[in-house]
């Protein structure tokens, strides 16, 4: 690093905090502005007291973190001295299709047992390790899985797996939506690559996922919550002045760690072309219901349910905490139910009673809720369509050299991808 630069980072979600963390480690002086009263963006653990006022929490975004054996996220957790809780066994995982639930085909044995696939379709799955790596950079997730696992799997089961996890149909998503698939393929395929790279375990942080943002903010120190950036001003000296509601601050460089719409609004007067490109990046709205119920025998380790999209009518799936999850209220089953994304939600699924009735179709054992709370997630996910990587790759060149844009729409939809990419990004730029 040649020279200490003062960098102002706008947005105190995981992307902004990680950008600040890595730039500061490279010797720069950083300050983060976050519009909301708390840092973390989607990755926040919110207090949700139990029916008697007992302590309890819900996750606004990720319920847990996928941590690979090695990699940027594992390194980061080590640096922050955040120790994930030991990975506990998980409860049943199901896929809802043809009006009932089946064991999830997200594992190889589950795949072989999955109904709806002909014998030929099942034998085709076994050929997966023999399939060569693809060469089409614009391949959709549907085309990728049809190539590797056969058209039967791609039609019968993939829509529910992808819809439940990424809230969009596999035909509308490119491989940028799951960058890990490229790594697996480079290592010999889904099966061999999985064996070589080791499993990615979903781990829980003491204090919930929000503990990551809190730890970063505490260690960074220079984080102003409740400070929305309102305008950017290019100074004749080549520096930047950022205007907030009541404050202004100058810096050598500015990092926009914002969802694409908010970044576009700030950039419009400075570089209209980049602002237009950002405006054009689509994103998905999600509706999430959190509910608490009396416990159900057999679901002590929680559960996961993904629903075949045409049958869900916008209801994508549900996931439950394990009974001993420190975020839940002891003695109650805590469920999170998702709707929407790229799928239209049937008008009758507007309110909790009808959402619950629809859930019971798949989970007849689920008792009436004792508590419910709805959290809407506008523009929760970027929609990473085929060709998305190329569209965002032209953005850095359209920005002045000391203005940067980072975030999920640039680097990938999840926290592991953000951790990996922002570490590499900070090493590659001179802010
Ligand atoms: C329901 C849900 C489930 C998810 N599940 C998973 C999962 O299982 N695994 C996974 O890895 N990821 C998951 N994600 C995605 C993950 O949460 C996001 O990828 C990640 O949190 C995005 O972080 P970010 O910093 O890029 O954006 P954000 O979290 O959107 O942060 C942007 C920040 O910028 C702030 N801001 C906006 N405008 C301004 C302004 N003008 N000035 C200053 N600040 C501003 C916002 O307040 C916000 O805090 C999930 C997300 C949701 C919503």
């Amino acid at each position: 690093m040649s020279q200490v630069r003062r960098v102002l980072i706008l947005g105190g979600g995981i992307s902004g905090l990680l950008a600040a963390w890595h730039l500061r480690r490279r010797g720069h002086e950083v300050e983060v502005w976050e519009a909301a009263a708390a840092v973390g963006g989607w990755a926040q653990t919110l207090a949700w007291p139990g029916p008697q006022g007992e302590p309890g929490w819900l996750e606004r975004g990720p319920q847990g973190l996928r941590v690979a054996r090695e990699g940027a996220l594992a390194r980061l957790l080590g640096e922050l001295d955040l120790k994930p809780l030991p990975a506990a066994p998980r409860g049943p995982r199901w896929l809802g299709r043809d009006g009932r639930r089946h064991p999830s085909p997200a594992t190889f044995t589950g795949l072989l047992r999955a109904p709806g696939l002909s014998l030929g379709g099942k034998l085709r799955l076994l050929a997966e390790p023999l399939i060569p790596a693809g060469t089409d950079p614009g391949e959709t997730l549907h085309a990728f899985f049809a190539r590797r696992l056969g058209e039967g799997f791609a039609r019968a089961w993939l829509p529910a797996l992808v819809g439940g996890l990424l809230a969009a149909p596999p035909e509308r998503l490119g491989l940028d939506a799951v960058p890990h698939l490229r790594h697996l393929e480079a290592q010999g395929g889904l099966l061999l690559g999985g064996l070589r790279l080791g499993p990615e375990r979903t781990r829980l942080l003491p204090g919930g996922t929000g503990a990551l943002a809190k730890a970063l903010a505490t260690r960074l120190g220079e984080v102003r919550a409740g400070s929305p950036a309102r305008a950017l001003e290019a100074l004749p000296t080549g520096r930047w002045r950022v205007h907030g509601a009541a404050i202004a601050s100058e810096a050598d460089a500015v990092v926009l760690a914002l969802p694409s719409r908010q970044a576009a609004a700030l950039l419009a007067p400075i570089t209209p072309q980049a602002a237009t490109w950002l405006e054009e990046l689509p994103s998905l709205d999600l509706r999430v219901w959190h509910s608490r119920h009396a416990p159900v025998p057999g679901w002590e380790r929680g559960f996961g349910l993904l629903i075949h999209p045409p049958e869900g009518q916008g209801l994508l799936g549900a996931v439950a905490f394990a009974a001993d999850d420190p975020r839940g209220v002891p003695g109650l089953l805590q469920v999170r139910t998702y709707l929407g994304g790229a799928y239209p939600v049937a008008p009758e699924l507007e309110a909790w009673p009808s959402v619950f009735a629809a859930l019971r179709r798949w989970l007849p054992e689920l008792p009436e809720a004792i508590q419910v709370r709805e959290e809407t997630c506008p523009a929760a996910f970027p929609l990473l369509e085929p060709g998305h990587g190329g569209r965002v790759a032209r953005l850095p060149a359209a920005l002045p050299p000391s203005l940067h844009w980072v975030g999920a729409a640039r680097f990938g939809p999840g926290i592991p991808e953000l951790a990996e990419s922002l570490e590499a990004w900070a090493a590659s730029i001179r802010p």
Side-chain angles (χ1 to χ4, degrees), residues 10-16 33-36 38 40-43 60-64 66 227-230 257-259 262 266 286 288 336 338 377 380-381 407-408 412-418:
L10 308 181
I14 290 295
S15 295
W33 283 19
E34 165 53 47
W42 293 118
R60 204 172 172 223
Q63 300 259 83
R66 279 176 290 119
S227 297
R230 295 273 160 81
L258 304 171
Q262 283 93 328
L266 288 175
L286 211 59
V288 182
R336 174 159 98 167
Y338 308 82
C377 305
F381 295 109
I415 290 178
E417 291 83 20
L418 292 174

Side-chain angles (χ1 to χ4, degrees), residues 17-37:
L17 295 168
L18 281 174
W21 176 255
H22 289 298
L23 289 175
R24 203 181 65 176
R25 284 167 68 88
R26 307 189 82 77
H28 301 292
E29 191 189 305
V30 296
E31 181 178 325
V32 180
W33 283 19
E34 165 53 47

